[in-house]
Amino acid sequence: MPTYVDRSFDFPLRTVLSANLPDRGSFVVMVGGSSAGKTRSLYEAVYALVPDWSLVQPAEAAELLDLRNAPPRSTVFWLDELQRYLGGKDALTAECVRALVRHGNLVVGTLWPDQYAKWTSGRDDVYRLLQIAVPISVPESLDLIELSAARAVAVHDSRIQDALNTSDDGMTQVLAGGPRLVMCWEQPANPYVKAIIAAAADAHRLGVQSPLSEELLADAMFGYLKPRDRVRPAAQWLAAALPHATRPTHGDVSPLYPVDDGRAGTLAGYTIADYLAQHVRRRRRSEPLPHKAWLALVTHLQRPEDLRRVANGAIARLRYCYAEPALTRLAAELGVGSPAAELADLLVRQDRLKQAVEVLRHQVAADPQDTLAGQKLSDIQRLWQRVEQMRLPARRRARGLPDEVAEILADGGVGDELRRQAAAGNAMAAERLVELLADRGCLRELRERADHGERRAAEALADLYAAWGDVHQLQARADAGDRDAELRLSKTHLAQARHEGAKYQIGELRAAADEGRAEAALQLCTLLFELRDADSLRAELDAGTTGAADRLIALYTAQDHRSLIQVRAFGLDADGHPLTNVRGKDS
C-alpha cells in the first residue's frame, strides 16, 4: 500500500479506541465520504494499538447477534460500510454492541455522512445504537497540516506525489482509483458498460444495498441503451459489459465487483464501487429512472429492506405504478405486514376501494394482531359508504371522478371529516382544516371561506400570497376590505428580498439535502414552492428529495393545474408524464 499520511484526526481516534482498554472496549464510527480515507486510517489506528488481537469481519449482523450472550475478548469487530448491518429483522442492536464492548472488544465501522444523518434523525433501534458510538469525522480533503505531511511523504513515494499532482480529485480519492472508475463510466469501452454501471448506480441511489443479480441488471440495462444497441440478445449485453465493468482499474478497484451468497463458488450478484456510485449519483441526481429499471428492481429484489426502500423511492417520486407492485410483494410474497396499509391508501386514492378492502382483509386474516391494518380497514369501509352517498347516478356513468369525490379519495377522507366537524361548530377542527388547506395550496376553498368571513382562512390566504410576494392579489383583497391582506402588503418586500437571494440559499439547501438532512430538504422544497418554481420542484421530485412530492402537488393545486386530479391519484410514469386511470373504478 502507499505510505500512510498522518491525518489530523489520528490522535483523537486512537485516544478513543484505547481509552477504556484493557477492561472495556469502545464503539467507534468513522463518518466521511467515499474514498476519504476512513478505512485506511482506522486500519492504521487499530494495527498500532492492538496488532496481536483477533479480527472478525462478519458477513451479516446475525453473526454478531449470535455472540452477544458469550462474547470473546481482545477482538476487533470490523464493520466497514456499517449501513449493511443496520435496519431489518436481524439488525445490529445497541444491546449487542454493549455486550461486546463490556468484554473488552473494539467495535469499529464506517458510514457515509448521508447515512449517518439518516440513521441519527429517527428514534428507532438504529438511532439508539448510534447514540452509543463515538463518531470520528473524516473530511474529504486534506487540511494544511496533512498536505504538508503528504508532501514530505511524496519525496519517497511516487504514488503520493502522483495523487498530489491530480487537481480534479483529493489525494485519498485518487489513491483509491476514483478517477479511473469515473472514466469507465464516462468513457466506456462500449455502451453496455455504461448501461450496466448506470443501472447499478441508480439502484444504489434508491438505497438498494444487496448485490444485483445478473437477471436484474440485464433487465434494467434495457432502459439505458439506445434502440440500436438493444437489437442484440440480452445475454450478449452482459457478456459485453461485465469483463470491462469488473476489471480492476487501479490495484484491486473495479467499477462493479462480484459478491457471493455466503457459499463457496456462488455468485449473488454485483455491487458498485462507492466512489463511482457517489459520482454517478451526483451526475444523475435528478434524472428519472427508466421504466425497465423500475420493473427490474420491483421484480427481482429479494431482500424486504431493499424492496421497502424502492417502494419509498417510488412514492417520493410520485411513481405509484412501481410502488404498488413493490408494496404488493412486501405484503403478500415476503410476509411483511405494514406495507398493506400503505398499499390500501394507494388503491383508495385511485378509487379502487374494493381492492383496498380485500388487501386489508387478507392482512388481518394473516395477522389478527395487526392493529394498523384493522383500523385502516374500518376507516376505508366508512369512507366507501361516504363516497357512494356522494356519487350521483349521472356522475357514476360519466368518465372520471367528480371533483369532490376525487378530493376525498386523495387524502382518505381526512379533509372531508374536518369539514363536517367544522360545519358542526368544532372550532379546533375548523382551525386544523384551514392549516391543511393552506399546506395543500387549496386557494379556491381558502378564498371561499375567507369571503364568507372566516378570519383564520383570510389570514392563511394572505400568508400564502405574502410568501409568494404576490402584491397584485394582496392589493386586490386589501381594496375589497380584507384587513389581513392589507397588513401583509407592507411585508411583501421581505418575501421579494428572500426570492432575490434564493439562488444562493437553494444551492446550500440542496447540498445539505443531498447529505441526508431531512430538515434542509423540507426547507428547500418550501422555498421552491414559495418561488412557484415548478420545474425545480420537478427536478427535486426526480431526485427523491423529501417533501418535493407534497410541495409540487400543493403548487399544482394552487395553480388549478390541468393534470392535478390525474397526478394526485395515479402519479407519473417513468418519464414524468401524468398517468391516466387505465384500470377503471371498482364496481
Side-chain angles (χ1 to χ4, degrees):
M1 292 191 295
T3 306
Y4 181 65
V5 175
D6 291 338
R7 306 294 298 269
S8 297
F9 54 81
D10 283 342
F11 179 75
L13 170 62
R14 299 182 188 199
T15 299
V16 169
L17 287 171
S18 61
N20 302 317
L21 296 178
D23 299 324
R24 288 177 59 86
S26 302
F27 178 28
V28 176
V29 177
M30 310 289 285
V31 181
S34 175
S35 304
K38 304 185 298 296
T39 303
R40 179 67 188 273
S41 298
L42 191 56
Y43 163 79
E44 294 291 341
V46 168
Y47 188 73
L49 295 172
V50 288
D52 300 324
W53 280 25
S54 300
L55 185 140
V56 173
Q57 186 179 23
E60 54 188 17
E63 295 182 29
L64 292 174
L65 297 177
D66 291 341
L67 295 173
R68 60 188 166 188
N69 294 324
R73 291 185 178 274
S74 302
T75 299
V76 177
F77 292 91
W78 191 271
L79 309 180
D80 222 0
E81 297 184 15
L82 182 61
Q83 70 273 9
R84 296 189 297 117
Y85 306 91
L86 307 178
K89 184 174 66 174
D90 295 322
L92 187 62
T93 65
E95 292 74 19
C96 177
V97 171
R98 285 195 183 98
L100 297 175
V101 169
R102 277 198 306 270
H103 283 73
N105 300 297
L106 295 179
V107 182
V108 298
T110 63
L111 267 180
W112 287 1
D114 60 339
Q115 292 281 350
Y116 185 77
K118 168 188 172 182
W119 291 115
T120 54
S121 62
R123 288 294 185 272
D124 54 10
D125 292 339
V126 178
Y127 170 83
R128 289 190 289 273
L129 169 64
L130 291 180
Q131 287 303 297
I132 67 173
V134 178
I136 300 292
S137 178
V138 181
E140 290 194 2
S141 57
L142 304 185
D143 61 27
L144 293 178
I145 295 175
E146 292 169 341
L147 277 173
S148 178
R151 293 189 184 103
V153 171
V155 175
H156 308 288
D157 194 323
S158 61
R159 291 169 295 183
I160 301 294
Q161 187 64 61
D162 290 342
L164 290 173
N165 291 338
T166 301
S167 59
D168 292 337
D169 296 272
M171 183 197 77
T172 58
Q173 288 82 359
V174 173
L175 291 174
R180 288 186 175 91
L181 292 176
V182 172
M183 285 292 289
C184 289
W185 181 68
E186 294 185 343
Q187 302 293 332
N190 58 62
Y192 305 102
V193 178
K194 190 176 184 72
I196 200 171
I197 292 175
D202 275 351
H204 191 280
R205 180 157 60 116
L206 286 176
V208 176
Q209 296 178 5
S210 58
L212 305 175
S213 68
E214 292 187 351
E215 293 81 7
L216 188 158
L217 288 169
D219 285 353
M221 286 170 66
F222 184 96
Y224 301 90
L225 294 170
K226 295 179 180 179
R228 66 172 180 267
D229 298 319
R230 300 197 294 253
V231 174
R232 299 170 62 181
Q236 294 184 20
W237 305 351
L238 290 174
L242 285 174
H244 298 282
T246 59
R247 180 180 300 152
T249 62
H250 185 81
D252 195 33
V253 179
S254 59
L256 302 182
Y257 54 91
V259 180
D260 66 12
D261 67 358
R263 297 172 297 155
T266 60
L267 174 68
Y270 299 87
T271 299
I272 188 170
D274 282 353
Y275 184 85
L276 184 57
Q278 284 194 3
H279 176 84
V280 179
R281 182 165 64 182
R282 285 192 293 269
R283 293 291 298 274
R284 288 185 54 80
R285 179 183 184 274
S286 57
E287 290 290 323
L289 269 71
H291 170 68
K292 289 290 188 179
W294 281 112
L295 288 184
L297 291 169
V298 301
T299 301
H300 292 291
L301 287 175
Q302 295 302 315
R303 292 187 182 177
E305 296 84 0
D306 286 330
L307 199 56
R308 170 80 268 184
R309 296 185 190 102
V310 170
N312 290 344
I315 292 172
R317 291 167 173 81
L318 294 178
R319 267 58 174 196
Y320 298 145
C321 55
Y322 307 111
E324 181 179 337
L327 292 171
T328 300
R329 286 191 59 205
L330 284 168
E333 297 177 29
L334 301 178
V336 180
S338 58
E342 292 179 58
L343 176 59
D345 286 336
L346 209 60
L347 297 171
V348 166
R349 72 170 63 241
Q350 298 174 5
D351 200 15
R352 297 158 67 191
L353 294 159
K354 180 179 179 181
Q355 192 172 341
V357 168
E358 290 173 351
V359 166
L360 292 170
R361 281 177 175 166
H362 183 273
Q363 176 61 29
V364 171
D367 182 8
Q369 303 302 316
D370 191 338
T371 56
L372 175 62
Q375 182 60 51
K376 181 72 69 175
L377 177 59
S378 299
D379 292 343
I380 290 178
Q381 287 173 327
R382 285 195 297 270
L383 179 67
W384 196 352
Q385 293 176 354
R386 168 68 172 159
V387 167
E388 289 305 308
Q389 291 171 359
M390 299 182 66
R391 297 188 203 271
L392 298 176
R395 286 178 172 172
R396 295 190 69 175
R397 290 193 298 269
R399 184 176 181 181
L401 288 173
D403 287 352
E404 62 270 25
V405 174
E407 195 277 333
I408 290 174
L409 294 174
D411 71 351
V414 173
D416 181 59
E417 181 60 28
L418 287 174
R419 289 186 189 91
R420 291 200 286 179
Q421 292 181 19
N426 188 324
M428 185 174 295
E431 185 169 342
R432 287 177 56 200
L433 175 61
V434 169
E435 291 174 356
L436 187 69
L437 295 175
D439 184 61
R440 294 178 178 176
C442 299
L443 290 185
R444 186 188 307 171
E445 186 170 352
L446 282 175
R447 278 195 297 263
E448 291 174 356
R449 291 180 175 276
D451 292 343
H452 281 84
E454 289 190 28
R455 178 65 187 276
R456 184 67 189 91
E459 292 175 352
L461 183 63
D463 285 338
L464 274 177
Y465 286 143
W468 288 333
D470 196 332
V471 177
H472 176 73
Q473 291 289 353
L474 283 173
Q475 187 65 62
R477 293 197 65 82
D479 292 343
D482 189 326
R483 176 63 176 164
D484 295 295
E486 183 180 346
L487 290 172
R488 284 157 181 78
L489 260 176
S490 61
K491 299 180 181 179
T492 53
H493 67 283
L494 298 176
Q496 292 169 347
R498 187 184 183 198
H499 295 173
E500 290 172 2
K503 61 180 181 180
Y504 304 105
Q505 190 178 4
I506 285 173
E508 294 175 358
L509 290 173
R510 184 174 288 127
D514 288 346
E515 291 177 358
R517 301 179 189 174
E519 183 179 348
L522 294 172
Q523 290 175 353
L524 169 63
C525 295
T526 297
L527 179 57
L528 294 176
F529 172 76
E530 292 176 359
L531 292 170
R532 290 181 278 190
D533 188 345
D535 290 339
S536 292
L537 273 175
R538 285 291 298 269
E540 295 306 319
L541 180 80
D542 288 328
T545 304
T546 301
D550 289 339
R551 293 297 86 210
L552 182 63
I553 293 294
L555 185 58
Y556 280 2
T557 302
Q559 297 173 339
D560 285 327
H561 194 281
R562 64 183 183 277
S563 300
L564 171 63
I565 293 178
Q566 288 175 259
V567 173
R568 196 167 54 182
F570 301 98
L572 308 172
D573 65 12
D575 296 326
H577 303 126
L579 277 171
T580 56
N581 183 357
V582 296
R583 295 181 179 84
K585 183 185 73 66
D586 285 337
S587 58

